[in-house]
Amino acid sequence: MSPASFLVVPQWQGSGSSRAMRLIDGAEAIRGDLPTTATHSVAVPAAAGEALGTGVLRYSSLTLVRELAEAELAVLEAPIVTIGGDCAADLASVQHAVASHPAGSVAVVWFDAHGDLNSVSTSPSGAFHGMVVRALLGDGPDGLAATGPARLHHEQLVLAGTRALDDGESAFVDHIGIRVVGPDGFDDPQTLVAAVEATGASAVYLHIDLDVLDPAAVDGIGFPEPFGVSPEQLSDAIRALRARFELVGAAITEFAPESPEAAGRDLPVILRVLGALTGPLRDVG
């Protein structure tokens, strides 16, 4: 694997949390441990933005961030690891990775306690971080929904560690047959490898929302869900996927520490995950 490039996108406008601004602090805390020469950043606007009749809160700022991120992605060497920000911080990164490779060759593994599969009509909040995957599948407002070669097909998607779906999301998953590997599937890393092999892909993009982890492992997350995976299980799964497939991009999102001191307590876990994404591979069994 070539050395990774890093793109810091401290976007908070996609979040539905009243503490969304903490996502800026989380991204900056992680940035402090990244190699300066390999790290670029997106100047996220300070303005919240307007929905503009789309049903997506802060839509105008979200589309601007996507455009700014696209410009940065065009000059970075792959694989690019995006540091968020909310779960939509790597919207452009996923689309860039999918569009840069032959159709069907990239699987997206969405490590997240939640599905992020709501549409504008099913979203209970209007917050875009709960609609990101649906937009990647092509369903969303102009400027956010993937189109053409950037559009992800549901056969290339694997939800990993997911354990909290809204009713509309569950119905959608069942209707179109999205692959889901719950926390129990992390006991053996090869379970996730097999799920990606079933997509027929030769490469993977790994999106990691830190709430995929059990809340006992990390404090600085806005929407914790019980019975998540351990840092060891997540790291082993990442390494197993990297050992089997080309890594074409990744992201770590939704770090929202309440203080610099709290960030310091969580960073060892986050850096362990980052090391699994970018460090040398060891025997994963």
Side-chain angles (χ1 to χ4, degrees), residues 34-121:
L34 301 178
T36 303
T37 56
T39 302
H40 289 222
S41 61
V42 170
V44 173
E50 301 293 334
L52 302 181
T54 62
V56 175
L57 297 178
R58 308 175 185 135
Y59 165 82
S60 60
S61 287
L62 294 168
T63 53
L64 175 57
V65 172
R66 176 186 165 178
E67 292 170 3
L68 294 172
E70 285 177 338
E72 294 289 344
L73 290 161
V75 301
L76 292 177
E77 292 290 330
I80 301 163
V81 179
T82 302
I83 304 297
D86 62 65
C87 259
D90 65 331
L91 178 71
S93 301
V94 179
Q95 295 179 7
H96 176 79
V98 172
S100 299
H101 294 80
S105 66
V106 176
V108 173
V109 182
W110 200 261
F111 291 96
D112 199 318
H114 310 93
D116 299 346
L117 277 166
N118 275 299
S119 65
V120 170
S121 61

Side-chain angles (χ1 to χ4, degrees), residues 183-245:
D184 291 348
F186 282 68
D187 292 340
D188 180 358
Q190 295 306 313
T191 300
L192 194 50
V193 170
V196 176
E197 286 178 337
T199 72
S202 58
V204 289
Y205 182 102
L206 307 180
H207 167 98
I208 299 163
D209 180 335
L210 290 170
D211 70 18
V212 73
L213 293 168
D214 191 88
V218 60
D219 289 326
I221 50 180
F223 298 90
E225 298 287 347
F227 311 115
V229 305
S230 70
E232 294 81 4
Q233 288 175 314
L234 177 59
S235 296
D236 286 348
I238 291 168
R239 290 191 181 97
L241 289 167
R242 285 183 55 207
R244 172 64 178 81
F245 305 96

